[in-house]
Amino acid sequence: MPNHTFQLNGESVTVEVEDDVRLLWVLRDLLGVTGPKYGCGINVCKACTSHINGKAFNPCSVPVGAIQPNDQVTTIEGLADTAPGDGLHPMQDAWIANDVAQCGYCQPGQIMAAVAKVRQCRAEGREVDDEAIEELRNICRCGTYNRIREAIKAGAENM
């Protein structure tokens, strides 16, 4: 079986697994990183949203064989380490302050998508406004979209 090495939350990891195994299963089942959630497995619900090289992606749709040794994969577990200072990432703080979570299942993916969207908007010189937030396709079965929107705007102010 082939070995696959990549950077996960700031550390180099190596796993022995077939090339076609989806990265979500590598993260959850082989490495014990359970922040990215399994929702649909077909890149629709976005519950597994994480970052690769700073951009949002869905590990349920990416085979581990597509990940390169220098790729930086960040999950919700490593997000705080990408922010200056100690404590949580500003987007995580905004999620708490706005009492976003209801059941909480989709929240890691929602937060990771929000952080990537703020970075994208800033790189493009755009505001993090309702139009930008509407570009996010993460599904929340509890329907906390209004609180998610407010948290994204608050988190963006502190990023």
Side-chain angles (χ1 to χ4, degrees):
M1 218 176 308
N3 283 329
H4 299 278
T5 300
F6 58 94
Q7 305 300 308
L8 175 62
N9 296 328
E11 296 183 17
S12 181
V13 296
T14 300
V15 292
E16 185 178 331
V17 65
E18 294 296 337
D19 293 341
D20 63 347
V21 173
R22 300 297 170 169
L23 184 59
L24 180 61
W25 304 127
V26 171
L27 294 172
R28 293 182 60 82
D29 297 344
L30 299 180
L31 297 172
V33 177
T34 59
K37 304 300 184 206
Y38 172 71
C40 67
I42 57 173
N43 197 21
V44 173
C45 75
K46 314 293 188 200
C48 65
T49 303
S50 300
H51 294 168
I52 188 163
N53 304 321
K55 296 184 179 185
F57 86 116
N58 298 98
C60 74
S61 65
V62 177
V64 70
I67 304 299
Q68 300 301 310
N70 60 342
D71 282 336
Q72 300 281 337
V73 176
T74 305
T75 65
I76 193 74
E77 289 88 347
L79 183 63
D81 294 335
T82 68
D86 294 330
L88 296 174
H89 187 280
M91 193 63 71
Q92 291 171 304
D93 285 332
W95 237 252
I96 294 167
N98 284 274
D99 197 26
V100 173
Q102 192 162 321
C103 84
Y105 193 80
C106 70
Q107 299 310 299
Q110 296 276 3
I111 292 169
M112 296 301 286
V115 169
K117 178 53 68 179
V118 171
R119 289 177 183 160
Q120 176 192 15
C121 286
R122 293 211 172 126
E124 295 172 355
R126 296 192 301 152
E127 291 292 320
V128 181
D129 56 13
D130 288 341
E131 184 178 328
I133 294 169
E134 285 297 319
E135 294 168 1
L136 296 172
R137 306 314 314 152
N138 295 61
I139 295 172
C140 173
R141 292 178 183 168
C142 299
T144 63
Y145 295 109
N146 290 333
R147 293 190 304 235
I148 289 169
R149 180 182 310 277
E150 293 309 311
I152 293 171
K153 290 177 181 177
E157 289 177 13
N158 295 314
M159 282 178 62

